Amino acid sequence: MPGRRRLSFGTRLVVALVAILLLMQVATLLIIDVAVNRAVNRQLAARLDVGDRVWHQLQVDRGNELTQAVSALASDFAFREAVATGDANTVLSALLNHGRRISADASLLLAGDGSVLAGTLDGDPAGQAKALAPLLAEAGARGNSAGVAVLDGAPYSLAIVPVMAPQRIGWVAMGKRFGAQATRDYRTLTGLDAAIVVVEGTHWRLVATSLAPEQAQALASMTEVPHQARTEALAGRNFHLRMTTADPARAGAVDVVLLADVDDAMQPYRRLKQQILLLATVAAALVLLVSVLVGRSVARPVARLAAATRRIESGDYAERLPVVGNDEFADLAGAFNRMQDGIAEREMQIRYQAQHDSLTGLPNRMYALAQLERLLGRHDRAGLSCAVLMIDLDRFKEINDTLGHAFGDSVLQLVAQRLRRAIRSGDLLARLGGDEFLVLIESTDEASASERAWAIVRSLEEPLVVAERQAQVSIGASIGLALYPAHADTADALLRRADIAMYEAKQAHQRVAVYQAGRDESHLRQIRLIGDLGKARERGEFKIVYQPKVDLRKRQPAHAEALLRWRHPEFGPIPPDEFIPLAEQCGLIHDITRFVLDVGLAQVAAWRTDGLAIGLAVNLSPMDLLDAQLAQTVARLLRTHGVAPGELVLEITEGTVMRDVKAAMATMHALRDVGVRLSIDDFGTGHSSLAQLRSLPVDEIKIDKSFVMHLDQHPEDTVIVRSAIEIGHNMGLLVIAEGVEQQGSLDILRDLRCDMVQGYLFSRPLPAEDFRQWHAAFEADRISASHQDEPAA
């Protein structure tokens, strides 16, 4: 239209590109948002499914535990006599005392028809009898029952057991009130919140919850009962809700609302979306800037300059810009070409200076290392070998200190000239720094490389003439030789081992030394440790420390695990993970195992004489299971120290058995014939199948500490530990958990009916005398605690 300004091509291009980018970003964000919401919903639904099953299993376990506790009262002779004779005071006293003993909140005696004869609740007995009628009916059919009922408006987890004398003369009902502690325990176990509610018609009443007060108030104010799973906003936070029955066996007036925090689940994704949004904003700004530049009318000349700049950036200076015409672009192209030539020249100088020694003109360490790495790559593909000669001048420091640095520099220049003449044309000569030089020889062997090294030594025997000082100086050299791939397969290792050989030549005054395996630092330490390992016992460097394994049912230490420690006179404490493999390699492991058994059994015998009866546990090495005489050795040591075989537990890792199943099985059966107990250590970290585990002649399994140390913080570890305990118990094995460091982990293991525990929560490994003192203190605490648990007379 006339008078209307048309948008330029550059502007239209900018608008189009930005619009396309924005549409793509919006679409991407929408897709990500939908995918994230679906993923979170599936995740929360799965968590609630697991939480539902966990709640029901907890209720089943509570019911079984409560049934056993109530059965103890119902079978008490004095209580049955009081019920039979109608002694109300005695019955009520028994209900109160036993209720306190098992922490029950409600204790009732019911007649055969279900009416309440006596109880600890102050409410309406008729209402209580009505609420207990369904459980009583089930008890009449099954002999006893456990479940949930509402008594006087409050929910209880109850168990009903008959009172027999010998015919049924009544029923005992005892239970614990549902409260906030149950919901908090459930949250600790599963990470989900829970709310216990009593449904009253179309409304509900909140009894207890693990939610924060503001969320709890919002939940209590909901008017509609959420029978179907859904997402609900509670005081500014979103939760995924699911209703389940408090009693897994029957639906009733008490339900549980399981809640998964949607906001917590979405938190990682929110950060991701914020990062994506930030990147999208930056990308939009960049596209806008680039579009403006491209849309300008001078795009073609600028593009040529940009391309030339990129060539220079990549190091390509060969191609020049065409100079066309006499305008400003031609002047710019000519200036650009002159600048390119100057940059190329200066870069060549800089590269040369960066890769060469300024004093001698020889390649430096950086250049030599790069060339060595490239050479190793070529030789690796071709299957060839090469050699590195590390050269260090003798007496150079004396010359430098006596005659000055200028004279020393002249000597280095003359040495560089001698070395150039001594090497062959295909060899690389470099100065590494100070008075150290390097020669890299391609495609050679040890004999040829040694001959070349001696030729270099001979070339430096003739005195050097320093013309400006009109002086002569004699200087020699020590050379270390390392071969690829015989001595090392990397450039750094080859240089290091050539350097080690050079120092060996200098110290031994050999002039030329070839690297020998075991001369680097780690090999030297291992060789030293292996040499000292055989003498450590005679020198008294070995010490045995003991860590208790506590029986949870008896609440007392059952075994002391003997652990070997080595304090080296020079290197200090040596970790068992370092010296045990060395002992296996050099064949000393059998002697070490016998030493630990001998000292440990002697200590157990001494403790028994002192009044401390405790078993011993000892770890076996994989090599021990290959010792055909192990069972005889163990039997002899048991007889020597007068220790019963059943008091010794030998611990074997899963991986140890799997190395050679046939040999391991033979040794294990021989040990079982002796009468000792066998334990699978680090259970859960090996590769044995359940079928293989079932065939092993073992008495117990020890769950690896990686699953136990943070048991109270990682619910997924609880699932693994529960499974391991159930597997062990189903196979008739004792189950021990090692690595117990937190009280919360101990409480979980006790609830899971783990047999024994071991870890720093009880004690670190202790010397024998300290262990005896610890045991005495532990027993004193245990006896004191048991006296406090006894009811008052």
Side-chain angles (χ1 to χ4, degrees):
M1 295 177 59
R4 184 174 180 179
R5 185 177 179 183
R6 295 180 58 188
L7 293 176
S8 66
F9 171 78
T11 303
R12 284 180 288 163
L13 180 61
V14 170
V15 172
L17 290 176
V18 172
I20 293 173
L21 178 64
L22 290 176
L23 288 174
M24 293 178 62
Q25 289 174 344
V26 170
T28 301
L29 289 174
L30 289 175
I31 293 172
I32 291 174
D33 191 68
V34 171
V36 166
N37 287 333
R38 290 179 178 174
V40 169
N41 287 335
R42 286 196 297 269
Q43 176 187 354
L44 294 180
R47 289 184 61 191
L48 288 173
D49 287 339
V50 174
D52 193 354
R53 293 193 294 271
V54 170
W55 177 268
H56 287 167
Q57 184 59 47
L58 287 175
Q59 287 304 111
V60 171
D61 293 342
R62 290 192 186 105
N64 292 337
E65 181 180 0
L66 199 55
T67 299
Q68 294 177 1
V70 177
S71 297
L73 176 62
S75 60
D76 182 80
F77 176 82
F79 177 76
R80 288 184 297 168
E81 183 180 15
V83 173
T85 59
D87 187 347
N89 291 332
T90 302
V91 169
L92 183 59
S93 175
L95 291 175
L96 288 170
N97 290 336
H98 196 69
R100 283 194 297 268
R101 191 174 297 115
I102 68 173
S103 301
D105 299 306
S107 301
L108 303 170
L109 175 64
L110 307 178
D113 60 357
S115 60
V116 177
L117 298 177
T120 60
L121 296 179
D122 297 329
D124 176 26
Q128 297 167 3
K130 182 178 180 181
L132 293 174
L135 290 176
L136 190 62
E138 181 180 345
R142 294 177 54 243
N144 59 63
S145 65
V148 178
V150 178
L151 301 180
D152 301 328
Y156 289 82
S157 178
L158 296 152
I160 298 180
V161 175
V163 180
M164 310 295 291
Q167 301 297 320
R168 187 176 65 206
I169 60 175
W171 302 89
V172 178
M174 304 187 80
K176 298 181 181 180
R177 184 170 180 173
F178 272 179
Q181 186 60 42
T183 61
R184 287 193 294 268
D185 292 343
Y186 177 75
R187 180 174 182 174
T188 300
L189 182 62
T190 65
L192 299 174
D193 286 294
I196 301 172
V197 298
V198 175
V199 179
E200 299 171 345
T202 59
H203 301 282
W204 64 4
R205 174 167 53 86
L206 180 63
V207 176
T209 180
S210 61
L211 289 170
E214 55 270 24
Q215 278 86 39
Q217 183 177 358
L219 181 65
S221 64
M222 288 177 56
T223 58
E224 182 182 357
V225 178
H227 294 292
Q228 300 296 327
R230 69 185 189 192
T231 300
E232 191 74 27
L234 301 178
R237 295 190 68 83
N238 294 314
F239 289 85
H240 207 64
L241 279 67
R242 177 179 296 181
M243 181 81 81
T244 187
T245 59
D247 189 342
R250 65 190 63 78
V254 182
D255 288 325
V256 177
V257 181
L258 305 181
L259 305 98
D261 195 325
V262 177
D263 293 335
D264 283 348
M266 289 291 293
Q267 188 60 36
Y269 299 105
R270 288 196 182 97
R271 291 195 294 269
L272 175 62
K273 288 195 286 188
Q274 290 172 357
Q275 293 170 356
I276 293 174
L277 184 60
L278 177 61
L279 290 175
T281 303
V282 173
L286 292 176
V287 168
L288 179 61
L289 178 62
V290 172
S291 300
V292 170
L293 294 176
V294 173
R296 293 180 178 178
S297 60
V298 293
R300 184 173 298 175
V302 173
R304 285 200 297 265
L305 288 173
T309 303
R310 287 192 293 271
R311 288 199 306 274
I312 293 176
E313 182 184 10
S314 64
D316 181 8
Y317 304 101
E319 186 176 350
R320 301 170 64 83
L321 280 175
V323 180
V324 181
N326 297 315
D327 56 9
E328 292 82 0
F329 286 109
D331 293 340
L332 181 59
F336 192 92
N337 288 336
R338 291 190 295 275
M339 180 189 70
Q340 175 176 305
D341 294 339
I343 292 175
E345 182 179 354
R346 286 192 294 274
E347 183 172 326
M348 289 181 61
Q349 295 175 353
I350 292 171
R351 184 182 292 112
Y352 183 87
Q353 292 172 358
Q355 297 179 346
H356 289 76
D357 174 44
S358 59
L359 178 63
T360 62
L362 294 175
N364 60 13
R365 176 183 291 272
M366 181 181 69
Y367 181 82
L369 184 59
Q371 291 296 108
L372 178 58
E373 289 176 344
R374 284 194 287 269
L375 178 62
L376 294 188
R378 294 199 305 271
H379 279 47
D380 181 55
R381 292 188 293 271
L384 301 175
S385 62
C386 63
V388 168
L389 306 182
M390 189 71 69
I391 305 171
D392 185 82
L393 301 181
D394 297 334
R395 300 183 301 279
F396 178 75
K397 186 177 184 302
E398 301 173 7
I399 295 171
N400 215 26
D401 294 343
T402 304
L403 301 177
H405 291 285
F407 189 92
D409 290 345
S410 298
V411 170
L412 290 175
Q413 291 172 338
L414 293 173
V415 168
Q417 296 173 9
R418 289 277 184 94
L419 293 176
R420 283 193 184 98
R421 293 194 296 267
I423 66 173
R424 298 180 183 178
S425 59
D427 299 340
L428 172 67
L429 172 64
R431 182 189 175 206
L432 302 183
D435 60 346
E436 286 190 347
F437 296 83
L438 175 142
V439 176
L440 176 58
I441 306 174
E442 296 187 34
S443 303
T444 187
D445 56 16
E446 182 176 330
S448 299
S450 297
E451 182 180 346
R452 304 272 281 280
W454 280 107
I456 292 173
V457 169
R458 289 190 293 270
S459 72
L460 294 175
E461 290 177 348
E462 183 180 352
L464 301 172
V465 179
V466 183
E468 59 267 33
R469 295 288 187 95
Q470 296 182 353
Q472 291 186 347
V473 61
S474 296
I475 194 166
S478 299
I479 301 178
L481 189 157
L483 290 165
Y484 168 85
H487 300 147
D489 55 4
T490 64
D492 287 336
L494 200 61
L495 289 177
R496 184 177 71 253
R497 291 178 175 175
D499 197 53
I500 292 173
M502 181 269 293
Y503 279 108
E504 181 74 17
K506 187 176 287 291
Q507 293 172 2
H509 304 288
Q510 296 177 348
R511 291 297 182 93
V512 177
V514 180
Y515 173 80
Q516 299 295 326
R519 288 186 177 176
D520 52 2
E521 298 84 357
S522 61
H523 286 172
L524 288 173
R525 175 182 169 91
Q526 289 184 359
I527 291 174
R528 174 71 181 278
L529 291 178
I530 289 174
D532 293 342
L533 194 57
K535 308 171 186 175
R537 183 175 60 179
E538 289 75 11
R539 294 174 177 174
E541 297 168 6
F542 280 161
K543 301 294 181 185
I544 304 296
V545 293
Y546 302 88
Q547 187 175 33
K549 298 197 301 186
V550 179
D551 189 319
L552 287 180
R553 288 175 294 183
K554 298 180 180 179
R555 293 191 299 177
Q556 63 184 18
H559 300 95
E561 182 172 355
L563 301 169
L564 181 64
R565 297 293 184 263
W566 181 21
R567 177 173 288 277
H568 193 276
E570 179 178 345
F571 300 130
I574 308 297
D577 291 342
E578 182 178 2
F579 72 80
I580 291 299
L582 295 178
E584 293 174 344
Q585 294 173 14
C586 64
L588 293 173
I589 191 62
H590 300 322
D591 292 337
I592 290 177
T593 300
R594 284 193 291 269
F595 169 76
V596 175
L597 284 168
D598 189 21
V599 174
L601 290 172
Q603 185 60 60
V604 167
W607 280 334
R608 182 179 292 102
T609 302
D610 194 33
L612 169 58
I614 193 169
L616 179 71
V618 176
N619 292 291
L620 292 184
S621 160
M623 301 300 295
D624 289 325
L625 289 185
L626 303 180
D627 181 6
Q629 304 300 317
L630 178 63
Q632 299 178 14
T633 301
V634 171
R636 177 177 55 79
L637 291 173
L638 288 169
R639 290 193 301 270
T640 299
H641 297 289
V643 177
E647 295 181 12
L648 175 62
V649 179
L650 298 179
E651 298 185 359
I652 308 159
T653 63
E654 280 187 90
T656 297
V657 178
M658 294 303 106
R659 287 189 183 184
D660 188 342
V661 177
K662 184 176 181 180
M665 290 286 285
T667 303
M668 292 171 71
H669 280 293
L671 291 170
R672 281 295 298 273
D673 292 340
V674 172
V676 301
R677 298 176 61 83
L678 298 179
S679 173
I680 294 295
D681 197 7
D682 300 336
F683 182 75
T685 61
H687 304 284
S688 61
S689 66
L690 293 180
Q692 291 169 327
L693 179 63
R694 183 180 58 188
S695 65
L696 296 177
V698 297
D699 305 278
E700 59 186 52
I701 58 175
K702 180 185 285 188
I703 303 174
D704 186 72
K705 63 182 179 182
S706 62
F707 304 115
V708 178
M709 292 180 66
H710 305 291
L711 190 62
D712 57 339
Q713 303 172 16
H714 298 160
E716 59 273 22
D717 286 344
T718 304
V719 177
I720 297 173
V721 171
R722 178 187 290 111
S723 300
I725 292 174
E726 290 176 355
I727 289 172
H729 287 170
N730 290 337
M731 298 179 68
L733 306 177
L734 290 179
V735 181
I736 298 93
E738 65 176 337
V740 180
E741 298 183 2
Q742 306 295 333
Q743 181 64 39
S745 300
L746 177 63
D747 294 338
I748 293 173
L749 290 167
R750 186 180 285 114
D751 291 341
L752 296 177
R753 294 183 174 85
C754 185
D755 299 298
M756 295 186 193
V757 290
Q758 177 181 1
Y760 285 2
L761 179 63
F762 298 96
S763 173
R764 293 177 175 271
L766 300 171
E769 183 58 32
D770 293 345
F771 183 91
R772 184 69 178 91
Q773 295 175 6
W774 172 89
H775 187 277
F778 185 90
E779 281 296 292
D781 291 343
R782 183 182 68 85
I783 294 172
S784 175
S786 64
H787 287 167
Q788 293 176 4
D789 291 342
E790 292 179 359

